[in-house]
Tab-separated table of all heavy atoms in Angstrom:
chain	number	residue	atom	x	y	z
B	830	GLU	N	-102.341	-45.032	-14.682
B	830	GLU	CA	-102.824	-45.877	-15.777
B	830	GLU	C	-102.899	-45.077	-17.070
B	830	GLU	O	-103.421	-43.965	-17.092
B	830	GLU	CB	-104.214	-46.446	-15.449
B	830	GLU	CG	-104.717	-47.411	-16.517
B	830	GLU	CD	-106.079	-47.995	-16.178
B	830	GLU	OE1	-107.097	-47.340	-16.478
B	830	GLU	OE2	-106.108	-49.113	-15.612
B	831	ILE	N	-102.315	-45.637	-18.128
B	831	ILE	CA	-102.332	-44.999	-19.453
B	831	ILE	C	-103.185	-45.868	-20.378
B	831	ILE	O	-102.964	-47.082	-20.478
B	831	ILE	CB	-100.913	-44.854	-20.030
B	831	ILE	CG1	-100.037	-44.003	-19.100
B	831	ILE	CG2	-100.946	-44.255	-21.434
B	831	ILE	CD1	-98.573	-43.965	-19.484
B	832	THR	N	-104.156	-45.250	-21.050
B	832	THR	CA	-105.018	-45.961	-21.993
B	832	THR	C	-104.753	-45.435	-23.400
B	832	THR	O	-104.790	-44.214	-23.631
B	832	THR	CB	-106.503	-45.777	-21.640
B	832	THR	OG1	-106.717	-46.218	-20.300
B	832	THR	CG2	-107.386	-46.599	-22.586
B	833	VAL	N	-104.478	-46.342	-24.308
B	833	VAL	CA	-104.201	-45.989	-25.704
B	833	VAL	C	-105.317	-46.572	-26.565
B	833	VAL	O	-105.628	-47.765	-26.475
B	833	VAL	CB	-102.842	-46.555	-26.166
B	833	VAL	CG1	-102.556	-46.133	-27.605
B	833	VAL	CG2	-101.723	-46.104	-25.244
B	834	GLU	N	-105.930	-45.752	-27.405
B	834	GLU	CA	-106.998	-46.209	-28.293
B	834	GLU	C	-106.641	-45.847	-29.730
B	834	GLU	O	-106.169	-44.743	-30.011
B	834	GLU	CB	-108.335	-45.571	-27.923
B	834	GLU	CG	-108.881	-46.019	-26.584
B	834	GLU	CD	-110.253	-45.434	-26.302
B	834	GLU	OE1	-110.901	-44.958	-27.252
B	834	GLU	OE2	-110.668	-45.441	-25.131
B	835	GLY	N	-106.882	-46.798	-30.636
B	835	GLY	CA	-106.620	-46.550	-32.049
B	835	GLY	C	-106.572	-47.839	-32.836
B	835	GLY	O	-106.934	-48.909	-32.323
B	836	GLU	N	-106.140	-47.738	-34.082
B	836	GLU	CA	-106.017	-48.918	-34.938
B	836	GLU	C	-105.074	-49.920	-34.269
B	836	GLU	O	-104.070	-49.547	-33.674
B	836	GLU	CB	-105.489	-48.488	-36.309
B	836	GLU	CG	-105.430	-49.602	-37.347
B	836	GLU	CD	-104.103	-50.348	-37.311
B	836	GLU	OE1	-103.064	-49.697	-37.104
B	836	GLU	OE2	-104.131	-51.580	-37.503
B	837	GLY	N	-105.421	-51.203	-34.395
B	837	GLY	CA	-104.772	-52.263	-33.626
B	837	GLY	C	-103.274	-52.180	-33.534
B	837	GLY	O	-102.721	-52.106	-32.432
B	838	ARG	N	-102.589	-52.192	-34.690
B	838	ARG	CA	-101.117	-52.251	-34.673
B	838	ARG	C	-100.520	-50.986	-34.075
B	838	ARG	O	-99.560	-51.047	-33.302
B	838	ARG	CB	-100.595	-52.474	-36.093
B	838	ARG	CG	-99.076	-52.620	-36.157
B	838	ARG	CD	-98.636	-53.343	-37.418
B	838	ARG	NE	-97.202	-53.361	-37.580
B	838	ARG	CZ	-96.375	-54.138	-36.871
B	838	ARG	NH1	-96.858	-54.943	-35.942
B	838	ARG	NH2	-95.072	-54.091	-37.089
B	839	GLU	N	-101.091	-49.816	-34.414
B	839	GLU	CA	-100.545	-48.564	-33.884
B	839	GLU	C	-100.738	-48.469	-32.379
B	839	GLU	O	-99.844	-48.056	-31.647
B	839	GLU	CB	-101.209	-47.374	-34.586
B	839	GLU	CG	-100.722	-47.110	-35.996
B	839	GLU	CD	-99.269	-46.687	-36.032
B	839	GLU	OE1	-98.998	-45.485	-35.877
B	839	GLU	OE2	-98.383	-47.558	-36.210
B	840	ALA	N	-101.934	-48.855	-31.898
B	840	ALA	CA	-102.195	-48.800	-30.456
B	840	ALA	C	-101.249	-49.729	-29.710
B	840	ALA	O	-100.724	-49.379	-28.638
B	840	ALA	CB	-103.651	-49.176	-30.182
B	841	GLU	N	-100.994	-50.909	-30.267
B	841	GLU	CA	-100.082	-51.860	-29.622
B	841	GLU	C	-98.654	-51.321	-29.603
B	841	GLU	O	-97.915	-51.516	-28.626
B	841	GLU	CB	-100.139	-53.202	-30.352
B	841	GLU	CG	-101.437	-53.965	-30.104
B	841	GLU	CD	-101.580	-55.181	-30.998
B	841	GLU	OE1	-100.613	-55.504	-31.735
B	841	GLU	OE2	-102.654	-55.801	-30.966
B	842	ARG	N	-98.268	-50.628	-30.677
B	842	ARG	CA	-96.918	-50.030	-30.717
B	842	ARG	C	-96.754	-48.972	-29.632
B	842	ARG	O	-95.722	-48.902	-28.963
B	842	ARG	CB	-96.654	-49.412	-32.090
B	842	ARG	CG	-96.133	-50.397	-33.124
B	842	ARG	CD	-95.878	-49.690	-34.420
B	842	ARG	NE	-95.168	-50.543	-35.355
B	842	ARG	CZ	-95.014	-50.277	-36.644
B	842	ARG	NH1	-95.527	-49.164	-37.142
B	842	ARG	NH2	-94.355	-51.102	-37.433
B	843	VAL	N	-97.788	-48.130	-29.470
B	843	VAL	CA	-97.703	-47.090	-28.442
B	843	VAL	C	-97.663	-47.726	-27.058
B	843	VAL	O	-96.906	-47.292	-26.175
B	843	VAL	CB	-98.885	-46.105	-28.569
B	843	VAL	CG1	-98.845	-45.079	-27.435
B	843	VAL	CG2	-98.832	-45.392	-29.912
B	844	GLY	N	-98.459	-48.782	-26.866
B	844	GLY	CA	-98.409	-49.503	-25.596
B	844	GLY	C	-97.029	-50.074	-25.337
B	844	GLY	O	-96.487	-49.968	-24.215
B	845	LYS	N	-96.429	-50.669	-26.379
B	845	LYS	CA	-95.073	-51.215	-26.264
B	845	LYS	C	-94.065	-50.111	-25.957
B	845	LYS	O	-93.148	-50.291	-25.144
B	845	LYS	CB	-94.693	-51.920	-27.570
B	845	LYS	CG	-93.329	-52.586	-27.557
B	845	LYS	CD	-93.324	-53.779	-26.639
B	845	LYS	CE	-92.018	-54.542	-26.718
B	845	LYS	NZ	-91.960	-55.617	-25.717
B	846	LEU	N	-94.235	-48.944	-26.594
B	846	LEU	CA	-93.333	-47.815	-26.353
B	846	LEU	C	-93.369	-47.399	-24.890
B	846	LEU	O	-92.311	-47.218	-24.265
B	846	LEU	CB	-93.724	-46.639	-27.250
B	846	LEU	CG	-92.971	-45.328	-26.997
B	846	LEU	CD1	-91.494	-45.469	-27.324
B	846	LEU	CD2	-93.596	-44.188	-27.806
B	847	PHE	N	-94.567	-47.251	-24.321
B	847	PHE	CA	-94.649	-46.854	-22.913
B	847	PHE	C	-94.039	-47.911	-21.997
B	847	PHE	O	-93.372	-47.577	-21.007
B	847	PHE	CB	-96.106	-46.575	-22.525
B	847	PHE	CG	-96.584	-45.197	-22.926
B	847	PHE	CD1	-97.617	-45.042	-23.830
B	847	PHE	CD2	-95.982	-44.066	-22.392
B	847	PHE	CE1	-98.052	-43.778	-24.198
B	847	PHE	CE2	-96.407	-42.789	-22.765
B	847	PHE	CZ	-97.445	-42.643	-23.675
B	848	GLU	N	-94.233	-49.189	-22.322
B	848	GLU	CA	-93.615	-50.255	-21.521
B	848	GLU	C	-92.092	-50.164	-21.572
B	848	GLU	O	-91.402	-50.333	-20.551
B	848	GLU	CB	-94.070	-51.621	-22.026
B	848	GLU	CG	-95.535	-51.935	-21.719
B	848	GLU	CD	-96.010	-53.211	-22.386
B	848	GLU	OE1	-95.193	-53.849	-23.099
B	848	GLU	OE2	-97.178	-53.574	-22.202
B	849	GLU	N	-91.558	-49.880	-22.763
B	849	GLU	CA	-90.110	-49.739	-22.908
B	849	GLU	C	-89.593	-48.511	-22.163
B	849	GLU	O	-88.525	-48.550	-21.540
B	849	GLU	CB	-89.742	-49.642	-24.400
B	849	GLU	CG	-89.885	-50.946	-25.159
B	849	GLU	CD	-88.819	-51.946	-24.756
B	849	GLU	OE1	-87.625	-51.606	-24.807
B	849	GLU	OE2	-89.179	-53.070	-24.377
B	850	MET	N	-90.350	-47.421	-22.210
B	850	MET	CA	-89.954	-46.204	-21.503
B	850	MET	C	-89.937	-46.443	-19.997
B	850	MET	O	-89.038	-45.964	-19.283
B	850	MET	CB	-90.886	-45.049	-21.870
B	850	MET	CG	-90.705	-44.553	-23.307
B	850	MET	SD	-92.048	-43.485	-23.887
B	850	MET	CE	-91.877	-42.044	-22.823
B	851	VAL	N	-90.910	-47.209	-19.493
B	851	VAL	CA	-90.923	-47.563	-18.071
B	851	VAL	C	-89.684	-48.398	-17.734
B	851	VAL	O	-89.025	-48.174	-16.708
B	851	VAL	CB	-92.223	-48.324	-17.708
B	851	VAL	CG1	-92.111	-48.939	-16.312
B	851	VAL	CG2	-93.421	-47.388	-17.777
B	852	SER	N	-89.335	-49.355	-18.610
B	852	SER	CA	-88.150	-50.194	-18.377
B	852	SER	C	-86.884	-49.338	-18.317
B	852	SER	O	-86.003	-49.585	-17.486
B	852	SER	CB	-88.009	-51.242	-19.481
B	852	SER	OG	-89.073	-52.160	-19.454
B	853	LEU	N	-86.791	-48.336	-19.187
B	853	LEU	CA	-85.623	-47.451	-19.179
B	853	LEU	C	-85.545	-46.666	-17.875
B	853	LEU	O	-84.466	-46.521	-17.289
B	853	LEU	CB	-85.687	-46.494	-20.377
B	853	LEU	CG	-85.418	-47.116	-21.750
B	853	LEU	CD1	-85.779	-46.149	-22.867
B	853	LEU	CD2	-83.955	-47.545	-21.884
B	854	LEU	N	-86.689	-46.158	-17.415
B	854	LEU	CA	-86.709	-45.419	-16.157
B	854	LEU	C	-86.310	-46.324	-14.996
B	854	LEU	O	-85.545	-45.921	-14.110
B	854	LEU	CB	-88.104	-44.833	-15.914
B	854	LEU	CG	-88.497	-43.641	-16.795
B	854	LEU	CD1	-89.975	-43.331	-16.615
B	854	LEU	CD2	-87.655	-42.414	-16.466
B	855	GLU	N	-86.806	-47.550	-14.983
B	855	GLU	CA	-86.474	-48.483	-13.907
B	855	GLU	C	-85.001	-48.869	-13.929
B	855	GLU	O	-84.441	-49.235	-12.894
B	855	GLU	CB	-87.357	-49.732	-14.013
B	855	GLU	CG	-88.818	-49.465	-13.669
B	855	GLU	CD	-89.693	-50.698	-13.790
B	855	GLU	OE1	-89.445	-51.527	-14.698
B	855	GLU	OE2	-90.622	-50.829	-12.983
B	856	ALA	N	-84.368	-48.781	-15.120
B	856	ALA	CA	-82.932	-49.082	-15.238
B	856	ALA	C	-82.071	-47.869	-14.893
B	856	ALA	O	-80.843	-47.918	-15.013
B	856	ALA	CB	-82.616	-49.562	-16.650
B	857	GLY	N	-82.719	-46.765	-14.485
B	857	GLY	CA	-81.972	-45.573	-14.085
B	857	GLY	C	-81.716	-44.583	-15.200
B	857	GLY	O	-80.971	-43.618	-15.008
B	858	GLN	N	-82.320	-44.800	-16.364
B	858	GLN	CA	-82.129	-43.896	-17.494
B	858	GLN	C	-83.107	-42.733	-17.413
B	858	GLN	O	-84.306	-42.934	-17.173
B	858	GLN	CB	-82.378	-44.640	-18.810
B	858	GLN	CG	-81.330	-45.666	-19.140
B	858	GLN	CD	-80.266	-45.076	-20.043
B	858	GLN	OE1	-79.817	-43.964	-19.853
B	858	GLN	NE2	-79.865	-45.830	-21.033
B	859	ALA	N	-82.625	-41.520	-17.604
B	859	ALA	CA	-83.511	-40.357	-17.686
B	859	ALA	C	-84.036	-40.231	-19.112
B	859	ALA	O	-83.315	-40.508	-20.072
B	859	ALA	CB	-82.751	-39.097	-17.281
B	860	LEU	N	-85.288	-39.835	-19.229
B	860	LEU	CA	-85.888	-39.669	-20.556
B	860	LEU	C	-85.935	-38.191	-20.912
B	860	LEU	O	-86.192	-37.340	-20.055
B	860	LEU	CB	-87.313	-40.243	-20.579
B	860	LEU	CG	-87.447	-41.749	-20.333
B	860	LEU	CD1	-88.915	-42.159	-20.320
B	860	LEU	CD2	-86.692	-42.541	-21.395
B	861	ASP	N	-85.643	-37.897	-22.182
B	861	ASP	CA	-85.782	-36.541	-22.696
B	861	ASP	C	-86.358	-36.639	-24.108
B	861	ASP	O	-86.480	-37.738	-24.656
B	861	ASP	CB	-84.438	-35.802	-22.676
B	861	ASP	CG	-83.350	-36.515	-23.477
B	861	ASP	OD1	-83.677	-37.166	-24.496
B	861	ASP	OD2	-82.162	-36.419	-23.099
B	862	PRO	N	-86.744	-35.508	-24.717
B	862	PRO	CA	-87.358	-35.592	-26.046
B	862	PRO	C	-86.480	-36.301	-27.087
B	862	PRO	O	-87.001	-36.997	-27.961
B	862	PRO	CB	-87.581	-34.119	-26.417
B	862	PRO	CG	-87.758	-33.432	-25.101
B	862	PRO	CD	-86.824	-34.141	-24.162
B	863	ALA	N	-85.146	-36.159	-26.965
B	863	ALA	CA	-84.257	-36.782	-27.955
B	863	ALA	C	-84.297	-38.298	-27.863
B	863	ALA	O	-84.494	-39.000	-28.871
B	863	ALA	CB	-82.824	-36.281	-27.773
B	864	ASN	N	-84.112	-38.858	-26.640
B	864	ASN	CA	-84.090	-40.312	-26.580
B	864	ASN	C	-85.483	-40.928	-26.669
B	864	ASN	O	-85.618	-42.082	-27.072
B	864	ASN	CB	-83.291	-40.851	-25.377
B	864	ASN	CG	-83.786	-40.388	-24.036
B	864	ASN	OD1	-84.953	-40.078	-23.866
B	864	ASN	ND2	-82.885	-40.348	-23.056
B	865	VAL	N	-86.524	-40.156	-26.348
B	865	VAL	CA	-87.884	-40.656	-26.612
B	865	VAL	C	-88.118	-40.721	-28.125
B	865	VAL	O	-88.692	-41.695	-28.627
B	865	VAL	CB	-88.951	-39.767	-25.924
B	865	VAL	CG1	-90.357	-40.106	-26.437
B	865	VAL	CG2	-88.889	-39.953	-24.413
B	866	GLY	N	-87.637	-39.715	-28.853
B	866	GLY	CA	-87.751	-39.748	-30.316
B	866	GLY	C	-87.022	-40.941	-30.917
B	866	GLY	O	-87.542	-41.614	-31.823
B	867	ARG	N	-85.818	-41.236	-30.396
B	867	ARG	CA	-85.085	-42.410	-30.889
B	867	ARG	C	-85.811	-43.692	-30.495
B	867	ARG	O	-85.833	-44.665	-31.270
B	867	ARG	CB	-83.663	-42.411	-30.322
B	867	ARG	CG	-82.818	-41.238	-30.816
B	867	ARG	CD	-81.398	-41.309	-30.273
B	867	ARG	NE	-80.740	-40.024	-30.432
B	867	ARG	CZ	-80.316	-39.256	-29.438
B	867	ARG	NH1	-80.454	-39.666	-28.183
B	867	ARG	NH2	-79.745	-38.088	-29.671
B	868	SER	N	-86.404	-43.721	-29.312
B	868	SER	CA	-87.161	-44.901	-28.888
B	868	SER	C	-88.360	-45.133	-29.796
B	868	SER	O	-88.687	-46.280	-30.127
B	868	SER	CB	-87.636	-44.729	-27.433
B	868	SER	OG	-86.533	-44.677	-26.553
B	869	ILE	N	-88.995	-44.066	-30.216
B	869	ILE	CA	-90.129	-44.181	-31.143
B	869	ILE	C	-89.677	-44.802	-32.461
B	869	ILE	O	-90.318	-45.722	-32.992
B	869	ILE	CB	-90.767	-42.796	-31.377
B	869	ILE	CG1	-91.500	-42.339	-30.112
B	869	ILE	CG2	-91.719	-42.819	-32.576
B	869	ILE	CD1	-91.895	-40.879	-30.114
B	870	ASP	N	-88.544	-44.331	-32.986
B	870	ASP	CA	-88.010	-44.903	-34.235
B	870	ASP	C	-87.735	-46.394	-34.069
B	870	ASP	O	-88.003	-47.191	-34.972
B	870	ASP	CB	-86.715	-44.184	-34.643
B	870	ASP	CG	-86.967	-42.783	-35.174
B	870	ASP	OD1	-88.114	-42.495	-35.574
B	870	ASP	OD2	-86.013	-41.977	-35.196
B	871	MET	N	-87.179	-46.770	-32.913
B	871	MET	CA	-86.844	-48.180	-32.683
B	871	MET	C	-88.102	-49.041	-32.580
B	871	MET	O	-88.170	-50.127	-33.166
B	871	MET	CB	-85.992	-48.320	-31.415
B	871	MET	CG	-84.543	-47.881	-31.602
B	871	MET	SD	-83.569	-48.170	-30.098
B	871	MET	CE	-83.170	-46.504	-29.634
B	872	VAL	N	-89.099	-48.569	-31.839
B	872	VAL	CA	-90.334	-49.341	-31.692
B	872	VAL	C	-91.007	-49.512	-33.051
B	872	VAL	O	-91.522	-50.590	-33.374
B	872	VAL	CB	-91.280	-48.665	-30.675
B	872	VAL	CG1	-92.684	-49.260	-30.752
B	872	VAL	CG2	-90.719	-48.818	-29.266
B	873	LYS	N	-90.983	-48.473	-33.880
B	873	LYS	CA	-91.571	-48.578	-35.220
B	873	LYS	C	-90.815	-49.582	-36.084
B	873	LYS	O	-91.380	-50.160	-37.012
B	873	LYS	CB	-91.582	-47.206	-35.901
B	873	LYS	CG	-92.631	-46.258	-35.324
B	873	LYS	CD	-92.668	-44.932	-36.079
B	873	LYS	CE	-93.797	-44.050	-35.568
B	873	LYS	NZ	-93.883	-42.755	-36.296
B	874	ALA	N	-89.527	-49.796	-35.771
B	874	ALA	CA	-88.720	-50.780	-36.502
B	874	ALA	C	-88.687	-52.133	-35.781
B	874	ALA	O	-87.880	-52.993	-36.118
B	874	ALA	CB	-87.293	-50.253	-36.677
B	875	ASP	N	-89.576	-52.304	-34.781
B	875	ASP	CA	-89.663	-53.557	-34.014
B	875	ASP	C	-88.367	-53.881	-33.285
B	875	ASP	O	-87.948	-55.034	-33.190
B	875	ASP	CB	-90.086	-54.734	-34.911
B	875	ASP	CG	-91.511	-54.573	-35.438
B	875	ASP	OD1	-92.359	-54.082	-34.671
B	875	ASP	OD2	-91.757	-54.928	-36.599
């Protein structure tokens, strides 16, 4: 279980990011700092 606390929109973005990262892992994608960084940029751009 991951708990994120903070200002509403930012906390929701981080929650969404972890959900997306889980989806990538379930699809067989390996995560590394580079594609996590790109995922962060994408989540920030909705």
Side-chain angles (χ1 to χ4, degrees):
E830 184 179 85
I831 300 172
T832 303
V833 182
E834 293 184 17
E836 185 271 322
R838 183 158 173 75
E839 284 295 274
E841 288 171 6
R842 275 181 170 168
V843 176
K845 183 69 174 174
L846 173 65
F847 279 117
E848 289 172 0
E849 288 289 306
M850 290 166 66
V851 168
S852 295
L853 288 169
L854 287 170
E855 290 179 325
Q858 291 266 43
L860 297 177
D861 58 33
N864 58 27
V865 168
R867 295 182 196 116
S868 295
I869 289 167
D870 287 341
M871 285 184 245
V872 167
K873 287 183 175 181
D875 294 322

